[in-house]
Amino acid sequence: MQTQTWRPREYNQHAQFVSNFGVSVVELLDAQPGERILDLGCGEGALAEQLKEIGTEVIGVDSSPAMIEAARARGIDARVMSGDRLTFKGEFDAVFSNAALHWILNYEDVIQGVYASLKPGGRFVGEFGGAGIIKCIVNAMNEVLSDHPEFGKFVNPWFFPTAEVYAAALTREGFRVVSAETFPRPTPLANGVGTWLRVFADHVISGLRGDQATRFLEQVEELVRADLYTPECGWMADYVRLRFVATKP
Ligand code: BEZ
């Protein structure tokens, strides 16, 4: 499988809804001026910037060098670091994460690293893709790739757990789980499923030749059209979110 490459300009153009929805996760975090906050998977730093404006001392980490460069351009103290290899020890009042944890398959290492990064009494607040998210799109991708073995195999890069699985993992690591729940969030895709795939399934598309990529996108779009498109609402992705709050005793 190819790896996912992030292009900040394209992300800003087509995926602004991610940080727009993240504003309510920032509210849930309820950060206070002076707190030291880790933004895990900060991307291009839109939400880290909001946390900074509140008066917190925010550090952003992300595994994408391009995203970190974009976050630094906004004035964020941002570092290239993968969420499953955090190196901080007991220094944060809170770890915040929006729309990033589903990209890291070894979630237990993430939780361990977050726990180690927090001060006693610190909190871990986040939101990411929950069980069932983009089921239609994943099924269609699988179908097209199995019809075209020459396109390669679909290797799912995403971790979309149930609230129960994630809460149990947090508890095993020593967290006290305050809340963990999944909920549907139908998400408008202004530029259609093809554009969504180009941004979020780059790990599949980048392995295809130009003509193969075009056919792949057309065929996936055709397969999901009946479920995800209506003339009244346009394209709507079948998103499900998992939102949680946990504290380190
Ligand atoms: C997201 O960032 O919201 C996302 C990414 C990949 C699949 C589903 C959702």
Side-chain angles (χ1 to χ4, degrees):
M1 183 176 63
Q2 310 291 314
T3 53
Q4 172 78 20
T5 299
W6 294 105
R7 290 173 278 275
R9 192 176 307 162
E10 179 187 65
Y11 192 82
N12 268 330
Q13 204 178 348
H14 299 299
Q16 276 244 319
F17 63 86
V18 175
S19 50
N20 291 346
F21 280 126
V23 171
S24 61
V25 192
V26 171
E27 284 164 10
L28 182 66
L29 176 68
D30 193 22
Q32 301 301 311
E35 281 192 317
R36 188 165 164 84
I37 313 269
L38 177 65
D39 183 350
L40 197 175
C42 65
E44 21 76 79
L47 297 176
E49 192 171 43
Q50 292 187 18
L51 290 169
K52 203 174 160 189
E53 279 163 10
I54 295 170
T56 70
E57 191 188 327
V58 60
I59 310 283
V61 293
D62 201 286
S63 59
S64 159
M67 288 300 209
I68 287 299
E69 199 181 316
R72 285 187 182 148
R74 287 180 191 258
I76 305 300
D77 178 351
R79 308 168 190 184
V80 178
M81 193 184 291
S82 178
D84 54 1
R85 298 210 197 117
L86 298 176
T87 55
F88 306 103
K89 294 282 170 271
E91 60 181 278
F92 292 101
D93 297 293
V95 175
F96 165 85
S97 186
N98 180 56
L101 298 173
H102 46 243
W103 289 104
I104 313 173
L105 295 178
N106 40 349
Y107 63 97
E108 288 181 314
D109 290 350
V110 176
I111 294 173
Q112 238 170 56
V114 169
Y115 193 88
S117 302
L118 285 168
K119 298 175 185 170
R123 59 207 191 278
F124 183 22
V125 176
E127 186 180 295
F128 64 111
I133 182 175
I134 60 162
K135 205 170 179 180
C136 271
I137 300 176
V138 169
N139 287 346
M141 288 166 82
N142 257 320
E143 193 173 327
V144 174
L145 290 176
S146 59
D147 284 351
H148 295 279
E150 72 281 14
F151 288 4
K153 253 195 147 86
F154 179 62
V155 183
N156 193 334
W158 299 304
F159 165 59
F160 297 137
T162 60
E164 291 71 26
V165 163
Y166 202 64
L170 289 165
T171 305
R172 274 198 303 280
E173 193 49 44
F175 278 105
R176 193 177 70 80
V177 178
V178 178
S179 60
E181 57 183 4
T182 54
F183 56 95
R185 179 184 284 147
T187 297
L189 302 179
N191 297 300
V193 165
T195 300
W196 185 91
L197 288 164
R198 283 201 182 276
V199 177
F200 292 98
D202 173 75
H203 55 287
V204 177
I205 315 253
S206 60
L208 302 177
R209 288 197 320 261
D211 59 315
Q212 291 179 332
T214 308
R215 280 194 289 150
F216 175 78
L217 294 171
E218 284 171 359
Q219 289 178 21
V220 171
E221 190 160 292
E222 226 18 70
L223 283 171
V224 299
R225 180 176 294 275
D227 290 313
L228 303 185
Y229 181 82
T230 58
E232 306 77 50
C233 303
W235 287 100
M236 195 69 85
D238 49 340
Y239 269 34
V240 174
R241 281 319 213 203
L242 195 171
R243 184 178 274 201
F244 65 91
V245 176
T247 55
K248 175 174 174 172

